[in-house]
Amino acid sequence: MDQEDKNTSALSNRMAVPGETRKRQDYLEWSEYFMAVAFLSAQRSKDPSSQVGACIVNQENKIVGIGYNGMPNGCDDDLLPWARAADDRLNTKYPYVCHAEMNAIMNKNSADVKGCTMYIALFPCNECAKLIIQSGIKDVVYLSDKYHSTPEMEASRRLLDLARIPYRQFQPKRNKIVIDFESIGLCAQRECNGGCTPAVNGDSAETQNKD
């Protein structure tokens, strides 16, 4: 539990009235929340083998950038390859795909991301490490380091170490975070029996990178 949450919990314990309804205790901690946002963002990826998301957070715990891996804007992803291996490297996804870290930095909704923390599902490769360093991100929180021994990851660690950017592995306290759209109640379909006015045009605006 974050220190702020601990202090708030201790204060509420001292002020609690017997029999009073109290706040729930199993809410997401900040780090869990931001990593979960990264994982939810990854569900937008069309990559058939690796879906990766990234979430950038400032010092006030405000999200300032989200991204996932995909093809560049304006490039028809039906005309580009998604394969991991082929006789010709140009027929693989690697020369074309934009990683989640790049898209999160490019999609920022603030003037810059200096001093921010990046939450990412996979340890960043050397190319993304360069972007992280150049953008001024101050530290990296990752979940998986499954490509640890590859040259790209070794180069990434070397770059981050030289730039004095700390990186740490996220230690989840729970294995799953379930999103249940029915938990809050589906008013229009269940309670109002058609009496509620449906939303105009069910489409919602997206601030993510291209499909």
Side-chain angles (χ1 to χ4, degrees):
M1 182 179 293
D2 296 346
Q3 187 60 44
E4 180 181 352
D5 293 333
K6 290 180 181 178
N7 293 340
T8 302
S9 178
L11 178 62
S12 63
N13 287 337
R14 291 196 297 270
M15 298 176 63
V17 177
E20 181 184 21
T21 300
R22 301 176 61 188
K23 70 179 184 182
R24 56 187 285 262
Q25 299 298 313
D26 60 341
Y27 56 87
L28 294 180
E29 296 179 9
W30 281 120
S31 58
E32 295 176 311
Y33 172 58
F34 297 135
M35 188 60 77
V37 169
F39 267 73
L40 182 60
S41 176
Q43 296 306 303
R44 282 285 303 155
S45 174
K46 294 181 179 179
D47 192 317
S49 57
S50 299
Q51 302 84 46
V52 182
C55 177
I56 302 175
V57 182
N58 68 13
Q59 298 92 325
E60 298 176 341
N61 283 330
K62 295 179 180 178
I63 295 174
V64 297
I66 299 174
Y68 53 87
N69 57 315
M71 297 302 179
N73 289 332
C75 297
D76 190 337
D77 51 30
D78 287 324
L79 302 179
L80 290 170
W82 290 100
R84 299 184 64 181
D87 293 336
D88 186 343
R89 184 172 172 79
L90 288 176
N91 292 326
T92 70
K93 64 181 180 179
Y94 297 110
Y96 313 104
V97 73
C98 297
H99 286 184
E101 298 94 324
M102 173 191 290
N103 283 327
I105 292 171
M106 297 302 295
N107 289 342
K108 65 183 183 298
N109 57 18
S110 60
D112 56 52
V113 292
K114 291 181 180 179
C116 292
T117 298
M118 175 176 283
Y119 289 80
I120 181 72
L122 285 176
F123 190 87
C125 71
N126 59 312
E127 293 298 327
C128 290
K130 297 175 190 177
L131 291 171
I132 289 169
I133 294 168
Q134 295 298 82
S135 67
I137 288 174
K138 72 178 180 67
D139 65 339
V140 175
V141 181
Y142 65 93
L143 181 65
S144 173
D145 192 16
K146 64 180 180 178
Y147 301 117
H148 180 88
S149 299
T150 63
E152 291 80 7
M153 300 308 165
E154 291 183 12
S156 178
R157 290 193 298 273
R158 182 180 299 181
L159 288 169
L160 293 173
D161 289 340
L162 287 171
R164 295 184 175 84
I165 296 178
Y167 44 88
R168 64 186 186 278
Q169 188 165 30
F170 177 69
Q171 302 296 333
K173 294 182 179 179
R174 61 189 88 194
N175 292 326
K176 290 184 178 181
I177 296 175
V178 179
I179 297 177
D180 181 1
F181 286 120
E182 295 186 351
S183 64
I184 200 169
L186 299 177
C187 175
Q189 292 153 348
R190 295 189 176 180
E191 296 176 10
C192 299
N193 295 320
C196 294
T197 302
V200 178
N201 296 330
D203 296 335
S204 60
E206 288 188 332
T207 57
Q208 273 299 312
N209 49 292
K210 172 186 173 293
D211 287 354

